Amino acid sequence: MMLRPPQRMIMARILADGTLLVAVFIWFVASQRLPYMILPDPLTVARRLGTLLVDEAFLLHVIASFSRVVVAVAVALLLGTVLAIVQKSVLLLQYPINRGLLPFFNSFPGIGWTILAAIWFQPGNLSIIFVEVAILL
């Protein structure tokens, strides 16, 4: 039986919402069988999330984290664009960038960048943004 577009949308919505409800139900059942500290129930988590969403200090931390991510993505996008333009424009730099610089960035794991940032920089925004940029490149 072929479903018409509105029926397809309704079925897709039922499937999506149903999957979420099943996941929350499984979470609830599992939380009844496991210790509270291992897996709290969904209602307790929802209450705690509600208190966090009105906590000014928590919201300031969220804004700080979000701003670091935005800055890191912007810097990585800018550096990546500059590298792409330079390697396409200056043929002499194409090989060192493609065969040296980019494989180096891609082969170095995120934890390595974190350790280097801890050694090179003082704790703070610069070290966090550096790590995020290095991972994104």
Side-chain angles (χ1 to χ4, degrees):
M1 169 172 105
M2 200 66 157
L3 296 176
R4 289 179 283 195
Q7 289 175 327
R8 275 189 171 179
M9 290 177 57
I10 292 170
M11 289 304 295
R13 184 64 186 249
I14 290 171
L15 180 63
D17 292 345
T19 302
L20 179 63
L21 288 174
V22 168
V24 171
F25 179 74
I26 290 171
W27 176 9
F28 174 76
V29 170
S31 72
Q32 300 304 305
R33 301 187 191 296
L34 293 170
Y36 170 78
M37 295 305 291
I38 301 293
L39 185 64
D41 64 279
L43 188 58
T44 303
V45 172
R47 281 190 200 121
R48 180 66 179 133
L49 181 61
T51 60
L52 283 175
L53 291 177
V54 295
D55 182 12
E56 187 177 318
F58 177 75
L59 293 175
L60 287 173
H61 289 293
V62 168
I63 291 168
S65 295
F66 183 74
S67 63
R68 288 182 194 125
V69 170
V70 168
V71 168
V73 169
V75 169
L77 183 64
L78 179 69
L79 287 175
T81 302
V82 168
L83 281 174
I85 290 170
V86 166
Q87 71 100 13
K88 288 294 183 186
S89 301
V90 183
L91 293 177
L92 187 62
L93 295 177
Q94 190 171 11
Y95 187 82
I97 290 174
N98 285 338
R99 301 290 182 195
L101 187 62
L102 294 181
F104 171 76
F105 277 115
N106 290 331
S107 67
F108 210 68
I111 190 70
W113 291 116
T114 305
I115 293 168
L116 281 179
I119 294 170
W120 289 345
F121 306 112
Q122 294 293 319
N125 289 334
L126 179 62
S127 60
I128 294 168
I129 292 171
F130 170 80
V131 170
E132 291 174 1
V133 168
I135 290 171
L136 289 172
L137 279 178

